[in-house]
Amino acid sequence: MGMTLPPYGYHSGAASMKITEVEPLVVATRSGTYLLVVVHTDEGLHGLGEVGMRSRPRAVLGALADFAELATGTQAHRIEELSQLFLRGGFFPAVGDVAAAAAAIDLALWDLRGKALGVPVHELLGGAVRDHVPAYVHLPGHSLPEYLDHAHGLVERGWRHLRIGLQPPTDPVLEPRATLRANVEAFHGLREALGDDVELLVDVHTRLDPAEATVFCREIEPARPYFVEDPLRSESMDAYRMLRARTGVPLAAGEQLTTAWEFRPLLEGDLVDHARIDLANTGLTQGRKIAAIAEAHHIQVTTHNPLGPVCTAASAHFNLTLPNLGVQEQTHPHGWDDDPLVVAGAIVDGGSVRPSGLPGFGVDLDLEAARRAATGELGPPPRYRRPDGSLTNW
Ligand SMILES: O=C(O)[C@@H](O)[C@H](O)[C@H](O)CO
Ligand SMILES: [Mg+2]
C-alpha cells in the first residue's frame, strides 16, 4: 500500500541476541550470601537472576547446569518459550528447587530484555501503578526488648510495617506451650509499645502444628496482625481451610511454592489473604500469572524477599505494576548502598523500595569483584527440636 512505518526505534539486535552462557555465582555480600545467576549473550550484554531456594544448593546448581544446556544458543528474547521449556520440557514436572533454578534464569532474561530495549522492566509489564513500593522489614532478635531496640529507630526512619519471627524462648529446643506463650506476649507487647500506626506481621515459619497454630492465631487476633505467615506446613495446603474456619487473622503463604500450578489450590480455595510470591523461586513469567490469579480472588501479593540485590530490584519492578500489591518484604532496610559489589540497585529507604531507573532491573554488580568474592558456600539452616528430641520444622 506504499505506507511507511514510523521509526519505532526497535533495536533488531535485541531479537537476534543469543544466550552464550549461564553462570551461577554464590556471592558473599555485606548483608549475606546469595545464589545469583548471570546469563551472558553474544552481544556482550548480561542479565542477572537470583535463586531463592538455597537449602540444597548442589541440587539447584545441577538444575542450573541442565537448563543452561537448553538455553545456550537460543534467542534471549523468547522468554515465555524458555519458561515453558524449563518447566514442561522434561516430561517430569519441574517443581521446588528445580523450578527455582529455572526462575533465576527467567529473571535474568527479563533483565536482559529491558537492557536490550533500553527500558526498565516495569515498563514491559504495563507500567507503574504507584510511585514507590511499600515495604516491611524484619525485626531481628528473640524477645520484646530486642524487637523494640530495633523497632523505634525503624519507625522513626519511616518504616510502617514490621515483622517478627516466631522464636522459641529456649532456642534450639522448641517447646510448643512456652513458645506460644512467649510469642503471644511479645506480639501484644509490640502493639502496646508501638501503637496503632504501624502494621505488625509475624512469620510462624511452619514451626507449629495445626492445633498450636490455631491457638496462636486466636490469641494474637486482638492485636490486629497485618498477617500471620506460614502458620502451617506447605505440603498440604488444604490444612489452611481448617485454620481459616477457626480464626479471622489474615493469613499469608506461598514462599515455598514455585509455579502457577502449585499456587492454584491456595488461590482458588481462597485459603490465604496474601500470596507470598518469591520471584527468585517463581521467576517473573510465572510470577505474573500467579499474581493475576490472585487478583481475580482479591488476594494480595506480598512478595517474599529475604534475598539479595537482584531479587530486591526484580520485586520492586513487579510490585510497581501490581494492582493487588500488599507490601514488599525487605529484610535489609538499608539496601546495598554501601556494598562495593553492588554498583547499581533498587533504592531502599524509609519503608519503601524504588527501582534505580536504569534499564532492565536496574541492578548491576562489579562482576569481577563478585567472582573474586564467590564463596561457593551457603550456610547451614538453623534446626529446632521438640523437648523429646524430635525434629520440628525450622
Ligand atoms: O519469610 C521469610 O523471609 C523467611 O521465611 C525466610 O524465607 C526464611 O527464613 C529462609 O531464609
Ligand atoms: Mg517466611
Side-chain angles (χ1 to χ4, degrees), residues 163 203 205 229-230 255 276 304 329:
R163 188 185 71 175
D203 189 355
H205 224 264
E229 172 183 351
D230 284 342
E255 68 176 75
R276 302 277 287 137
H304 175 248
E329 173 172 358

Side-chain angles (χ1 to χ4, degrees), residues 228 231-232 236-245 247 249-253 262-275 297 299:
V228 177
L232 303 172
S236 173
M237 284 298 182
D238 271 351
Y240 277 84
R241 211 177 299 285
M242 169 283 297
L243 190 59
R244 265 260 192 265
T247 174
V249 296
L251 300 176
E262 279 186 282
F263 267 92
R264 192 181 62 83
L266 193 67
L267 304 175
E268 281 189 358
D270 297 306
L271 301 185
V272 290
D273 302 276
H274 295 264
H297 284 265
I299 292 172

